[in-house]
Amino acid sequence: MSKHCDPSDIALKSFFLGPQAENAEMVSHIFHHIVERWILWRRNRFPDDGCAISNDDQNTREYRNALKKVNTLVDELMSRFEGEVPKFSPRYIGHMFSEISLPALFGHCMTLLHNPNNVSAEASRVGIKIEHEAIVELLNMCGFDVNQSTGHFTSGGTVANFEAAIRAKWRMMRWLSIACKSKSQKFWEGTHFQAANLGWTQFHELHRRFDFSDESESELYLSSPLEAGRLIAESFGKFSEPVLLIPAHRHYSWEKIAVLLGYGKNNLIPVELDRHGTISITDLIKKLEWCRKAERPIAMLVSVLGTTELGLVDPIHEIQRVVDDYKNSKNIFIWHHIDAAFGGFFCSLKDTHGLIDDKLKADLNSVASADSFTIDPHKLGYVPYSCGAVLIRDRWQNQLPVQPTPYIDFHDDDRGHFTLEGSRSAAGATATWLTAKTIGFNADGYGRILGRTIESGRILRQALKEIVPNVHIPTSADTNILCFCVGKSGEPLTVVNERTRQIFEQFSPYKESDFYVSKTDIPIDRYSEFLKANFPDWSPNKNCSHLMLIRVCLMNPFFTSAEPKINYPHSFAESLAQFLRGRL
Ligand SMILES: *Cc1c(COP(=O)(O)O)cnc(C)c1O
């Protein structure tokens, strides 16, 4: 390792406070400036009104006592928060968070001072415009057509996934409603499976032939699942429940969605994983054909860009080809959603050279063909909580039946009538906006930071292999998450898992450690092909059904910096090796 960073990387160092608060002076200065501007704004707004708090007021005992209480408790809370997990340090390599960027922090904090509510322009004159511009930045990074696509900020990936699932459901129910009516008027002959995956062209054709009211379009969507099923069965003489095709490595938010949107947990059909640990195209086609034969409407298909456990990327390019094929040759329109809550920002790498392989590049270049996309700026965007976003490829697929709200006049720019959440802070949008305009969501900005984190993964892998005996690290690693366990061949899995648990306890956020990691547990049957391909020289005695792995998210931009006295990758590997002495 050279002793100094590349000059082009040095600019990026201004975007973080630094592990030792190296940029403290600049940060204090900007914070001070933000507060000053806030005070001046207020003073200049209605200057002739006169003061409501007088100097005499400020000198009373009551006033001083109340203020003392605030001061004491502010101090008390700051002391309590000093007990927080030190996520800013390169020694924190656990979950999907680390240092936050300064532009994001400034954007977030200045928004809090103005407190806009992005439910409507009545409550957020400026915040709504910033949200719109920040969405354009995200759309551009991911390759969507900004004139055709849209989206909005959410409190996180779970809500963003809900937002996409709601729109997919609304589209399906709208198509089904029109087809139901057309069927009963006897000018359309199709099955309820065809109706559910109808496509807009046929939908508009049916619309032309009969003047449907808005109510008849939303009838099924607004009904209970039981009532909707009854109405469909009445029109088609048959009803089988719609399914969600979601890979076996899905995030747990999909269970909530299946249950809360009325699909039922059993209709969440897992697509199996191949030897890369990602969606098996063979199984995907098998499942799609099963749906077709069993006439199970396909409410949506989900693929994942950056799985929560292993950071893997589904073969999005190939999946989209399958979806297009069903559309073009079979007239079956499937809503394809990409859950990129974790990995969405890797799209900033799509124009780089040599950093990522061709498969990943092709996947990143296909994301804009999907119907919807979840991205969490509060994960790889280095933005403070809570900040997620949902992107929708076609504006007309974004609109939902609007509930009348007599006390708010919604305008065209407003998102409030279509969002699941009501009141929404503009803080996440502003944080994302300022990050986009400063660091840049492109190869020279985020691409550089994220490229560096991928490189950190490679360096740590090498250090672990050199220093820790019997360490097993899957060779499939698309991004910056690295998982491993330590064990000998023939050793019972229960023993290996117990060792992983002990490692986690040693490097756990539940106590003061010199490094912090996370862990995960993967079911052996779900990942059988993956395990075979990824651990070719290790064959444990499989006496239990799961494998526990230490999980490391290498998000900190300073983990492999050349300047610090400590070499973090080496130091972690040494610390681990020392802990394992006598335990192997
Ligand atoms: C983190 C994550 C989510 C959920 O996001 P939250 O912001 O925690 O609600 C969904 N999907 C994937 C793949 C994730 O990694």
Side-chain angles (χ1 to χ4, degrees), residues 305-337:
L305 198 175
T307 59
T308 316
E309 283 173 326
L310 298 162
L312 301 172
V313 178
D314 279 330
I316 292 167
H317 179 67
E318 281 185 70
I319 293 168
Q320 188 58 44
R321 251 197 7 219
V322 172
V323 170
D324 289 343
D325 180 52
Y326 271 73
K327 177 175 75 184
N328 297 330
S329 62
K330 302 186 177 72
N331 249 332
I332 298 170
F333 289 75
I334 301 164
W335 185 292
H336 180 199
H337 173 74

Side-chain angles (χ1 to χ4, degrees), residues 96 154-161 249-254 256 303-309 339-343 374-376 378-379 385-388 481 551:
M96 296 166 159
T154 62
S155 62
T158 301
V159 175
N161 283 343
H249 56 208
R250 63 179 171 260
H251 184 263
Y252 67 98
S253 53
W254 291 104
K256 300 183 200 173
S303 55
V304 184
L305 198 175
T307 59
T308 316
E309 283 173 326
D339 183 356
F342 177 61
T374 287
I375 178 167
D376 260 354
H378 68 203
K379 284 180 177 165
Y385 293 115
S386 298
C387 183
I481 296 183
R551 173 171 165 274

